[in-house]
Amino acid sequence: MSPITVVEGRRLSLTNLDKVLYPETGTTKGEVLHYCTTTAGPLLAHLHDRPLSFLRYPDGPDGQRFFTKNVPPGTPSWVTTCEVPHSRSGPTRQVLLQDLPALVWAANLVVELHTPQWTRQAPGVADRLVFDLDPGAPATIVECCTAAQWLRDRLAADGLDVYAKTSGSKGLHLIVPVEPTPSERTTAYARSLAVEAAAALPDLIVHKMTKALRPGKVFIDFSQNAAAKTTAVAYTLRARATPTVSAPVTWDEIAGCTEPRQLTFLFDEIEPRCARYGDLLAPLLDPDRARPLPAAGSRRPGTARGEPRAGGGPAGRSHRVRPRP
């Protein structure tokens, strides 16, 4: 019989707690659930009111994996769900993880957690802008850090702050708090900056997904700003060979990164990082940090296209773009 636990008054059946999900590290399902409970504070804060998409991998990263946005069969009645409009298929229902019992229930399914850039109150109206920096081998997250610093300064030239986390896979995610904006417009703005970055640093950056263009370069994926797309949420475990986490990082860590292992974080490193830094992405939760996107075709006075303003980062520091090795 599966053990029963009570979490904040909710009875949960937890299955196969001794099952090894990550053979390379021997990490068990029980350890995965423990990670989710100890990181529940910031994890739930970034999940709040955002319809969830699941990447399930119940037999570990090497087993079957499947992606779903619909409410999974057997979801307890007390787990919050919401109706989400879809232009093609009509409305569907998706899960919202609003409290610890729901998070533990989801973790028992063994999932990556992905959310859109909007909340249930305003489907398709983004309050965040995201750039997914994806390196094509032999490029690594080190090259992503150079691209990230260019984007940080460029966004600052438009009056926007930007925060960073590892993808938990190979690259980086940059996240910008914005005033509520239709997803079509955030996507168009993100695309324009990706194109601009590729023109400014053609030996480092590409903005097209074409695989033949990507070896040795950083692909800036702006498409995750589309209303129907999702991004791995901060602090989620990833279905990789080892239990890596999509972990918030500082700009000093990005500036100082010289090898990939410096920005690779396993699940047991996250609690000490939170104790040291707090939630580095907490500003995303403060609506007063949001800024409007610039009007189409406008730029701040004195800033030429493709020439980031010196000292324009959120902390008032400039970042020199390192030459590509």
Side-chain angles (χ1 to χ4, degrees), residues 37-314:
T37 59
T38 57
T39 319
L43 181 51
L44 284 169
H46 292 289
L47 288 167
H48 186 72
D49 274 353
R50 296 185 188 271
L52 197 69
S53 298
F54 297 96
L55 175 65
R56 296 188 60 184
Y57 56 110
D59 295 317
D62 296 330
Q64 183 183 14
R65 297 190 289 181
F66 48 98
F67 197 82
T68 181
K69 292 187 176 184
N70 297 324
V71 177
T75 298
S77 60
W78 46 263
V79 171
T80 304
T81 64
C82 69
E83 187 175 275
V84 176
H86 288 278
S87 58
R88 295 181 181 178
S89 61
T92 63
R93 294 203 72 81
Q94 292 181 224
V95 166
L96 296 166
L97 296 185
Q98 305 287 75
D99 53 31
L100 182 59
L103 178 62
V104 174
W105 161 78
N108 188 61
L109 300 177
V110 188
V111 291
E112 286 184 1
L113 305 172
H114 295 245
T115 57
Q117 311 314 317
W118 44 266
T119 68
R120 65 168 167 172
Q121 285 82 7
V125 178
D127 61 355
R128 296 179 181 180
L129 180 78
V130 64
F131 295 91
D132 181 2
L133 309 186
D134 185 13
T140 67
I141 198 170
V142 175
E143 284 74 25
C144 291
C145 290
T146 301
Q149 291 175 93
W150 189 96
L151 282 167
R152 182 200 190 194
D153 284 343
R154 176 60 186 83
L155 287 157
D158 279 345
L160 299 171
D161 290 351
V162 58
Y163 303 88
K165 65 184 180 76
T166 67
S167 67
S169 179
K170 299 179 294 181
L172 285 174
H173 293 159
L174 304 185
I175 310 172
V176 181
V178 296
E179 292 181 356
T181 306
S183 295
E184 295 87 350
R185 187 164 169 241
T186 57
T187 302
Y189 173 76
R191 182 186 184 281
S192 72
L193 262 62
V195 171
E196 190 175 325
L201 300 173
D203 292 334
L204 175 68
I205 292 171
V206 295
H207 71 277
K208 296 181 179 179
M209 193 176 290
T210 308
K211 289 186 178 180
L213 301 176
R214 294 171 61 179
K217 297 187 178 183
V218 176
F219 169 50
I220 298 181
D221 185 358
F222 56 85
S223 69
Q224 292 177 29
N225 293 286
K229 295 292 189 71
T230 61
T231 304
V233 74
Y235 302 102
T236 188
L237 272 161
R238 302 304 302 268
R240 308 295 295 176
T242 57
T244 54
V245 171
S246 184
V249 292
T250 69
W251 283 103
D252 285 342
E253 287 176 307
I254 288 173
C257 181
T258 57
E259 52 184 297
R261 67 177 181 83
Q262 292 174 292
L263 291 182
T264 301
F265 300 102
L266 300 184
F267 75 131
D268 56 359
E269 299 176 270
I270 301 304
E271 188 174 9
R273 284 183 63 81
C274 287
R276 178 181 179 184
Y277 296 114
D279 178 13
L280 290 168
L281 298 186
L284 295 173
L285 307 173
D286 180 359
D288 291 335
R289 298 293 187 104
R291 297 291 181 267
L293 287 188
S298 69
R299 292 185 52 76
R300 289 202 158 194
T303 307
R305 183 166 296 280
E307 297 178 358
R309 183 184 57 186

